[in-house]
Amino acid sequence: MSDSRIATVRPIAEQEAKGKVAAIFNDIKATKKLDTVPNFWRVLATNPDHLELVWTKLKTLMHPEALGRQVKLEPTVREIIALAVSATNGCAYCINSHTAALRKLGMSAETLGEVLAIVGLFNTTNKLADGYQVVPDVLPPVD
C-alpha cells in the first residue's frame, strides 16, 4: 500500500497561500535562498499564527544577518548545532534539512562524518555520565 502523504495534515500549497502565509512563504524563500517552500513550513502554514511564530524565532536565531543583526555565530556553526540536536532527537526531516544546509555552505562529506562522529561520541559519554550519576567536578567559571 502506497501512501503519498507528507504529513498528518494537508500542507498549504504555495499557489494557495494568501495574506500572512504568502508573505511568510516569500520571506522563507528569500532568506533561505530557496526556489520552493519546504514541506515543514507548508505544514505549519495550516495555522498561520504558529507559522509566523516559528518562522520569526527561527529567522532571528538562524539568520540574524537577514535582520541586520550582528552575527555572533557563523552560519556553519549554527547549522552544526542544529544538526547535532536533530540527530540526537532522531528527526529525519531536520537531519536532512540541516545536512543539506551544511553541504550548501560547503561542508564536505568527510567533515560531515566528523561532525556526526562527535555527536555520537557525546551522546554516548552523556548517557554514561548520567547512568553512573557522575558528580560534576569540572565547572565553568562564574562571572
Side-chain angles (χ1 to χ4, degrees):
M1 176 165 60
S2 176
D3 188 350
S4 61
R5 292 187 314 164
I6 63 168
T8 58
V9 296
R10 188 182 68 76
I12 303 300
E14 285 186 62
Q15 59 274 20
E16 295 173 7
K18 293 176 179 46
K20 181 192 309 191
V21 171
I24 293 169
F25 278 5
N26 288 332
D27 192 29
I28 289 167
K29 291 192 300 186
T31 301
K32 293 180 149 300
K33 297 175 179 56
L34 300 171
D35 295 328
T36 60
V37 177
N39 288 339
F40 177 76
W41 300 108
R42 293 178 49 232
V43 168
L44 286 184
T46 60
N47 181 322
D49 291 336
H50 195 215
L51 170 68
E52 181 179 42
L53 177 71
V54 175
W55 172 244
T56 299
K57 189 171 186 177
L58 186 134
K59 184 177 178 181
T60 299
L61 296 173
M62 293 299 287
H63 303 281
E65 61 283 347
L67 299 169
R69 290 181 42 236
Q70 183 179 13
V71 175
K72 293 185 173 52
L73 292 176
E74 294 300 317
T76 301
V77 173
R78 293 192 298 263
E79 290 295 343
I80 287 171
I81 293 167
L83 175 60
V85 172
S86 299
T88 298
N89 288 335
C91 179
Y93 184 91
C94 295
I95 291 166
N96 280 280
S97 175
H98 296 294
T99 298
L102 284 165
R103 295 305 299 270
K104 191 174 179 180
L105 288 168
M107 182 173 282
S108 70
E110 183 178 8
T111 302
L112 180 62
E114 184 176 352
V115 167
L116 291 173
I118 293 168
V119 170
L121 168 66
F122 281 91
N123 276 313
T124 298
T125 59
N126 287 189
K127 293 298 181 189
L128 289 169
D130 278 350
Y132 283 112
Q133 293 293 289
V134 179
V135 175
D137 58 346
V138 180
L139 304 171
V142 177
D143 295 335

